[in-house]
């Protein structure tokens, strides 16, 4: 249990069964109207009235969660706490509405001058055993996991500082933070075990990870460690949560998180946590999170078919809030319609590439000359509008498609001769070919990365649902650092 938690009303924590971020979002207060352009579609939304109904349904859903939570609470909860918890849940959830601007996350990268140092804090120790089950003490499990983690962190080429090396040592919370600071740790990872004190103890198990949201990078660190540990152990994914009540992660002054790797109150989970095999998995999961924290994979977000007025603006707002640069393969005709949006893309530091002038497969791929003529037109209007001499491009439909079989080889040869570089993609939201809702788009995006180290993600900034899924997509991919394409990036080509 979290020794550092200031116990309020006698509770040790909020025992809320984790709810997937999407569970409550099955209601979308809009309908779609499609304007066709080739095979790709633009979603336009009518809110009127529907949002009121959606809000009413959301309220009902949360009222139900409230009742369930109250019934299965830890026996010490009161109504005040419950409503606060639900308020917290509501504000965390991204419901339809204006884009919520999250805190900027910092990606700390390993470099050659400085080897990142990880402070590993095994919770409790000395007279403070933490949670107990029979002769199994939380402080000992925490230490065993910490020792394993130290080895794994060192094997990654990182430095590890263990805040206590034996079970007899007791450290105050202030001493822990001070030790980490003196050691010049770059991140702080606290390891704890949970306990549930109610009659039905065996019904509760799984992993919870806590962070303090005001320290930049903490959320990402917590996400990665949580994700890694859930993946490696197969344990129940309870929740990832922001709190200001845990001293060590609040005061650490560096990105920090506290993971409760399981419940000693649950018989099965307690036995697992005490076994070397399971401990190995837990430590491997935490180590994987730490590895991705310092050595993220790379993703190039690419947006085709724009600019459009509202949807491109929404995409740009989200990218700006996250300090992410992406790549936009523009359609010349749309640049002519929304020149200010093309200019905004450039002003905000994104890479601009050419998709085509007119998104009409038959016309573009009628012949090599037809393609080159369309491309030149797009080049000219982008240069005229933004001042950018574009070097990167993406074929409508990708470099090899059903429309260009007879001409693509020669087009590629001619374009390459002229110094242009084309990018296909190796992951996709499938947002232009389906009517999928935002949660399905996120799923498509995440699954199609297949864990690759370098991903070029195909998205469409003219699709409304893409703007609605982008926050969740970014939140689902903490192991990736987002970069804009440049001529120096080795292209992904079919
Ligand atoms: Zn396209």
């Amino acid at each position: 249990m979290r020794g550092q938690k200031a116990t309020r009303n006698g509770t040790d924590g909020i025992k809320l069964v984790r709810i997937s971020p999407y569970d409550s979002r099955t209601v979308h207060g809009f309908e779609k109207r499609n304007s066709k352009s080739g095979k790709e579609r633009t979603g336009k939304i009518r809110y009127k009235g529907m949002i009121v109904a959606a809000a009413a349904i959301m309220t009902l859903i949360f009222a139900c969660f409230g009742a369930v939570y109250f019934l299965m609470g830890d026996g010490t909860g009161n109504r005040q706490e419950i409503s606060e918890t639900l308020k917290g849940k509501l504000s965390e959830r991204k419901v339809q509405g204006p884009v919520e601007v999250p805190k900027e996350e910092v990606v700390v990268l390993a470099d050659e001058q400085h080897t990142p140092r990880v402070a590993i804090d095994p919770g409790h120790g000395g007279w403070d055993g933490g949670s107990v089950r029979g002769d199994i003490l939380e402080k000992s499990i925490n230490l065993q996991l910490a020792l394993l983690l130290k080895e794994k962190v060192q094997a990654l080429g990182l430095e590890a500082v263990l805040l206590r090396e034996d079970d007899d040592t007791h450290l105050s919370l202030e001493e822990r933070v001070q030790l980490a600071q003196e050691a010049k740790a770059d991140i702080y990872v606290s390891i704890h075990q949970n306990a549930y004190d109610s009659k039905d103890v065996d019904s509760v198990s799984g992993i919870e990870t806590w962070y303090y949201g005001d320290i930049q990078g903490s959320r990402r660190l917590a996400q990665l460690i949580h994700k890694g540990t859930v993946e490696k152990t197969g344990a129940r994914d309870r929740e990832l949560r922001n709190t200001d009540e845990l001293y060590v992660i609040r005061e650490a002054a560096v990105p920090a998180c506290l993971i409760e790797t399981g419940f000693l109150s649950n018989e099965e989970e307690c036995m697992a946590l005490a076994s070397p095999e399971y401990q190995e998995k837990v430590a491997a999961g935490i180590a994987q999170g730490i590895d991705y924290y310092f050595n993220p994979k790379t993703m190039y977000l690419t947006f085709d078919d724009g600019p459009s007025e509202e949807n491109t603006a929404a995409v740009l707002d989200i990218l700006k809030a996250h300090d992410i640069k992406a790549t936009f393969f523009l359609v010349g005709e749309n640049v002519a319609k929304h020149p200010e949006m093309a200019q905004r893309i450039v002003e905000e530091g994104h890479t601009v590439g050419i998709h085509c002038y007119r998104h009409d497969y038959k016309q573009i791929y009628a012949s090599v000359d037809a393609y080159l003529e369309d491309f030149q037109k797009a080049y000219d209007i982008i240069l005229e509008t933004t001042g950018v001499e574009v070097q990167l491009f993406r074929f409508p439909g990708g470099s090899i498609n059903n429309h260009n079989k007879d001409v693509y080889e020669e087009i590629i040869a001619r374009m390459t001769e002229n110094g242009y570089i084309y990018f296909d993609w190796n992951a996709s939201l499938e947002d232009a070919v389906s009517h999928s809702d935002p949660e399905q788009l996120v799923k498509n995006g995440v699954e199609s990365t297949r864990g690759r180290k370098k991903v070029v993600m195909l998205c469409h900034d003219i699709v409304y649902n893409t703007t609605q899924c982008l926050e969740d997509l970014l939140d689902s991919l903490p192991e990736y650092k987002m970069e804009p394409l440049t001529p120096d990036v080795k292209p992904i080509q079919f």
Side-chain angles (χ1 to χ4, degrees), residues 176-206:
R176 288 169 200 262
V177 168
Q178 202 183 335
L179 280 174
Q181 280 170 1
E182 281 165 10
K184 295 193 164 36
D186 295 288
I187 60 168
Y188 189 110
V189 179
S190 176
I191 300 174
H192 279 259
Q193 307 309 314
N194 226 328
Y196 182 66
D197 11 292
S198 150
K199 283 178 214 152
D200 198 11
V201 285
D202 285 325
S203 66
V204 176
S205 67

Side-chain angles (χ1 to χ4, degrees), residues 40 304-305 355 359 361 396-397 460:
E40 298 171 337
D304 288 9
D305 293 3
H355 198 37
H359 209 298
Y361 294 114
H460 294 78

Side-chain angles (χ1 to χ4, degrees), residues 407-418:
V407 287
Y408 80 89
E409 280 177 324
E410 200 185 332
I411 294 174
I412 289 173
R414 296 279 293 276
M415 293 296 287
T416 308
E417 256 171 46
N418 291 330

Side-chain angles (χ1 to χ4, degrees), residues 379-399:
Y379 183 95
D380 291 343
I381 188 148
I382 291 171
L383 178 60
E384 191 185 305
T385 310
T386 68
V388 175
E389 295 178 10
V390 170
Q391 206 184 337
L392 310 184
F393 72 105
R394 171 170 286 154
F395 287 96
S399 58

